[in-house]
């Protein structure tokens, strides 16, 4: 008689083997890889074969395991997203992201929190946790709408906006998670709110960005000044190519950025994304960035498969048992009303055609970041009504996986046909942003 865990290992191995070809094939259909693998996880854990239950709403250990697993995959996804961005960092190139961070995200937090308090009857701290968890867009499940690997020469303002927004707001959700934790047991505003504003908002954000920038500069210096002095030469290629072992340096650098920021009381997620973008700016025509991205992308896919199966296991283990009609409506309002309207308000003054604005507003994917923040809140404070919080968050993610998974590819193709993905009057090539983004050009390391 077989053991259930052996079957699970075999299925997981098969899922890893099929992940890449499936992602390519599904890109041409209405299905998405997350949708298929969540369904597979649900079916597997629904079978009467003795697999363990996995429900963080009922088991604190499951919440800790989820926190650690999703923490790592968000780090890997932020690293991959940051390295993918070819666009040089300047006010002119990146200012289009600010409205999404300063308008769309706060409106989403306030809207969901108010619904949680008024419609679901959550305590204020629990309502804020729900809003903070569901506010960030996801760099993990939004792979289909993000910028491609480093070196793409075509400008795509919609993909860039969605990628940069996901990279930054996954860290900016933390202050509001800390606000929820601080609000547990509090009945009124007071000095603790000023302390939260000064420390959790200002200090932690500054420290996270500063250390991310410093580690990114240090890591890129180490790669291009030290390790790249002896690139691997290919007899059939005039340009140097780098050993894939260099990916270990990149991953180590980004983990260092996360750890250093967290040890210094800053936001590690912000540090990882800032470090990746900073490192990408150096020798931006080098093929090394493609190799680094490929290496991290492989790690991300391995963990992603595991987490998607885990989410399917959560659904099969009853995480939605506490879902009420009202909670389902709150999740649907987030996906179809709150995010689209707040995103559209944020994009009102952008230079994108209306098709591009609508695409950015609608494609606010929810995913692993929401699971992480919910699990983090559960393991760091005693929140009331965790069952309804987990049910609402899980249902919102499920709706996002289905709706955005089906709609994202057709929406992106439609706006590209109408040139709705480029700011009006902009050059469609990346050469307008940086003349050095010619990836086939041989580059001699410094």
């Amino acid at each position: 008689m077989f053991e259930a865990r052996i079957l699970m290992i075999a299925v997981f191995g098969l899922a890893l083997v099929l992940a890449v070809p499936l992602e390519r094939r599904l890109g041409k259909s209405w299905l998405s890889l997350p949708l298929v693998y969540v369904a597979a996880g649900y079916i597997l854990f629904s079978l009467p074969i003795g697999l363990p239950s996995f429900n963080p709403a009922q088991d604190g250990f499951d919440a800790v395991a989820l926190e650690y697993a999703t923490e790592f995959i968000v780090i890997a996804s932020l690293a991959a997203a940051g390295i993918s961005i070819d666009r040089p960092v300047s006010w002119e190139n990146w200012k289009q992201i600010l409205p999404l961070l300063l308008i769309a995200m706060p409106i989403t937090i306030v809207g969901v929190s108010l619904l949680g308090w008024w419609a679901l009857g959550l305590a204020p701290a629990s309502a804020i946790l729900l809003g903070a968890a569901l506010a960030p867009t996801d760099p993990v499940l939004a792979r289909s709408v993000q910028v491609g690997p480093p070196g793409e020469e075509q400008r795509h303002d919609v993909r860039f906006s969605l990628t940069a927004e996901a990279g930054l707001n996954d860290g900016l959700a933390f202050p509001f998670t800390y606000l929820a934790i601080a609000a547990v047991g509090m009945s009124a505003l007071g000095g603790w709110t000023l302390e939260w504003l000064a420390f959790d908002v200002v200090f932690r954000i500054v420290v996270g960005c500063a250390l991310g920038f410093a580690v990114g500069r240090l890591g890129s210096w180490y790669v291009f000044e030290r390790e790249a002095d002896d690139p691997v030469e290919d007899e059939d290629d005039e340009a140097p190519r780098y050993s894939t072992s260099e990916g270990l340096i990149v991953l180590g650098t980004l983990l260092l950025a996360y750890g250093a920021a967290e040890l210094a009381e800053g936001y590690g997620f912000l540090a990882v994304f800032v470090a990746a973008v900073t490192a990408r700016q150096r020798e931006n025509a080098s093929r090394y960035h493609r190799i680094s991205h490929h290496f991290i992308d492989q790690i991300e896919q391995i963990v992603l498969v595991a987490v998607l199966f885990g989410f399917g296991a959560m659904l099969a283990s009853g995480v939605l048992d506490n879902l009420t009609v009202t909670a389902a409506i709150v999740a649907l309002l987030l996906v179809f009303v709150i995010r689209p309207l707040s995103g559209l308000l944020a994009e009102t003054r952008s230079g994108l055609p209306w098709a591009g604005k609508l695409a950015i507003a609608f494609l606010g994917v929810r995913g692993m970041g929401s699971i992480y923040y919910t699990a983090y809140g559960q393991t760091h404070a005693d929140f009331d009504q965790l069952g309804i919080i987990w049910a609402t968050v899980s249902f919102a993610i499920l709706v996002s996986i289905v709706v955005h998974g089906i709609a994202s590819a057709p929406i992106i193709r439609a706006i590209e046909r109408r040139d709705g993905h480029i700011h009006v009057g902009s050059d469609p090539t990346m050469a307008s942003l940086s003349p050095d983004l010619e990836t086939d050009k041989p580059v001699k390391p410094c």
Side-chain angles (χ1 to χ4, degrees), residues 43 157 166 178 312 401 407:
I43 293 171
D157 289 307
Y178 281 126
I401 288 175

Side-chain angles (χ1 to χ4, degrees), residues 8-72:
M8 187 170 62
I9 292 173
V11 172
F12 179 68
L14 178 63
L16 288 178
V17 171
L18 297 178
V20 174
L22 265 179
E23 190 170 36
R24 290 172 182 165
R25 290 180 179 274
L26 293 175
K28 302 175 183 178
S29 72
W30 61 271
L31 286 173
S32 65
L33 185 71
L35 181 58
V36 171
Y37 277 14
V38 168
Y42 177 83
I43 293 171
L44 179 64
F45 279 81
S46 296
L47 296 175
I49 56 176
L51 286 174
S53 174
F54 191 71
N55 189 343
Q58 298 177 354
D59 192 327
F61 178 79
D62 290 347
V64 173
L66 265 181
E67 179 189 342
Y68 292 166
T70 51
E71 180 180 38
F72 182 79

Side-chain angles (χ1 to χ4, degrees), residues 270-293:
L270 272 180
V272 170
F273 185 72
V274 171
V277 172
T278 300
R280 178 68 184 91
Q281 302 301 300
R282 183 157 187 167
E283 298 289 348
N284 56 9
S286 173
R287 297 181 181 183
Y288 176 83
H289 295 297
R290 275 186 174 270
I291 295 172
S292 301
H293 178 270

Side-chain angles (χ1 to χ4, degrees), residues 12 23-24 29 42 47 53 78 95 117 129 169 178 265 272 299 301 304 313 360 377:
F12 179 68
E23 190 170 36
R24 290 172 182 165
S29 72
Y42 177 83
L47 296 175
S53 174
L78 291 174
K95 65 181 181 181
W117 171 71
L129 177 64
N169 70 11
Y178 281 126
E265 301 288 342
V272 170
I299 294 174
Q301 283 195 318
L304 175 61
I360 292 175

Side-chain angles (χ1 to χ4, degrees), residues 19 48 65 131-132 136 168 196 198 211 300 305 318 320 390 407 416 438:
L168 291 168
W196 166 79
L211 282 176
E300 179 189 3
V305 170
L320 294 181
W390 271 112
E416 288 173 345
E438 301 172 12

Side-chain angles (χ1 to χ4, degrees), residues 124-130 132 175-184 196 381 383:
S126 297
I128 295 171
L129 177 64
L130 181 65
F176 301 97
T177 305
Y178 281 126
L179 177 62
I181 292 172
V184 172
W196 166 79
F383 286 94

